[in-house]
Amino acid sequence: DETGRRVAAFGYHAGFAGAALAVQTWAWQLTHSNESLPAVSSYANEDLLLDDVRSALKEGQKKAGKLPRVLVIGALGRCGRGAVELCQKAGIPDKNILKWDLAETTEKSGPYTEIIESDIFVNAIYLSDPIPPFVDTKSLSSPNRTLSVICDVSCDTTNPHSPIPIYTINTTFSAPTVPVPVCSDPPLSVISIDHLPSLLPKEASEAFSSALLPSLLQLRDRKSARVWQQAEELFHKKVATLPGEILNGAGISQSHLSS
């Protein structure tokens, strides 16, 4: 769009689904000692997912004697907004949901004690530049740690500047969590699924389609429509970075790219 933001994205449902699995994992660890969250699969609709999350939350609250405290970083973006709204719809009160964004993360550098002293941390940022870690191995050794679940919606697993450098693999629906070694209870699990919107295929697809439709209707005017002009410019810019042998093999000349 005019600000450089994608006109259509799956971010909201990635955050929503990630937070749902995070709450379920928090409750599962309380009620199933030393057992990882079992495989998950797509839901026919949001209501069915919320039914399961609310049920898990109730069991977790019964065991812990409290509802979880959830910290969402990137709370003003699409992913973060989805995570916050899942927590609210599930029944977690606003006082238990810490909504952080650039203002909070630029005010001071990580690692953040607020993460360690929350039960669930949802990372929903867009990482464009190197930043200090939000959490690291040293901070996890704090005697005040209550953190037991991290959902890394951003999934910067292979990025050397990942703000969560405590795990190295992506997880999947068949194995949703990976344990992180810690020196004391509670156990700590990370969710790092890079296809989270698939948990709600109906709503995610409908939202993406609705967002994309106005641009699709402009396709016939792609030479004058801003979105398609920018898309074509970006396409040529990226193609120009390909090695010469690939361009030559495809019959593309540098003069064609610049025309």
Side-chain angles (χ1 to χ4, degrees):
D1 61 14
E2 293 85 352
T3 65
R5 198 166 180 239
R6 286 175 291 177
V7 295
F10 285 108
Y12 174 87
H13 284 95
F16 194 95
L21 294 181
V23 172
Q24 288 178 309
T25 301
W26 172 79
W28 181 268
Q29 291 181 165
L30 288 167
T31 57
H32 297 76
S33 181
N34 299 317
E35 291 183 36
S36 297
L37 185 73
V40 298
S41 57
S42 299
Y43 285 82
N45 57 61
E46 180 184 304
D47 288 341
L48 294 175
L49 171 61
L50 284 170
D51 285 345
D52 279 358
V53 175
R54 289 168 181 152
S55 176
L57 192 61
K58 183 177 179 180
E59 292 301 312
Q61 181 182 13
K62 188 186 302 182
K63 189 74 174 179
K66 65 170 188 174
L67 288 168
R69 171 171 136 151
V70 183
L71 193 156
V72 179
I73 296 187
L76 298 182
R78 287 184 175 117
C79 289
R81 184 165 53 86
V84 169
E85 290 187 10
L86 176 283
C87 293
Q88 293 169 334
K89 288 184 176 182
I92 299 174
D94 257 0
K95 67 178 183 179
N96 282 36
I97 307 170
L98 281 70
K99 309 174 189 75
W100 280 25
D101 210 272
L102 284 173
E104 290 78 11
T105 55
T106 54
E107 182 181 319
K108 59 181 179 179
S109 296
Y112 298 109
T113 57
E114 290 88 346
I115 292 177
I116 298 302
E117 295 175 4
S118 294
D119 300 292
I120 298 171
F121 165 46
V122 180
N123 177 41
I125 70 162
Y126 173 72
L127 182 64
S128 56
D129 298 299
I131 57 174
F134 293 157
V135 62
D136 59 14
T137 303
K138 182 179 179 181
S139 64
L140 291 177
S141 65
S142 167
N144 298 322
R145 180 178 67 85
T146 55
L147 182 69
S148 63
V149 182
I150 295 174
C151 181
D152 190 4
V153 181
S154 303
C155 275
D156 290 308
T157 316
T158 60
N159 192 320
H161 305 300
S162 169
I164 310 176
I166 59 172
Y167 77 102
T168 57
I169 66 169
N170 285 112
T171 59
T172 63
F173 279 11
S174 57
T177 65
V178 59
V180 176
V182 287
C183 58
S184 61
D185 285 336
L188 176 60
S189 297
V190 170
I191 300 164
S192 57
I193 299 172
D194 62 7
H195 48 284
L196 283 167
S198 300
L199 197 67
L200 286 173
K202 176 179 179 292
E203 286 87 353
S205 298
E206 289 175 345
F208 190 93
S209 299
S210 295
L212 187 60
L213 182 59
S215 296
L216 286 177
L217 293 174
Q218 294 179 323
L219 186 56
R220 69 178 67 183
D221 304 314
R222 68 181 184 85
K223 291 298 183 182
S224 57
R226 178 190 48 75
V227 165
W228 294 107
Q229 286 179 324
Q230 291 177 324
E232 187 171 11
E233 289 171 6
L234 182 61
F235 170 77
H236 286 303
K237 180 180 178 181
K238 295 301 182 181
V239 169
T241 66
L242 295 173
E245 58 268 23
I246 293 179
L247 294 176
N248 294 335
I252 302 173
S253 66
Q254 289 295 335
S255 60
H256 179 266
L257 289 174
S258 60
S259 63

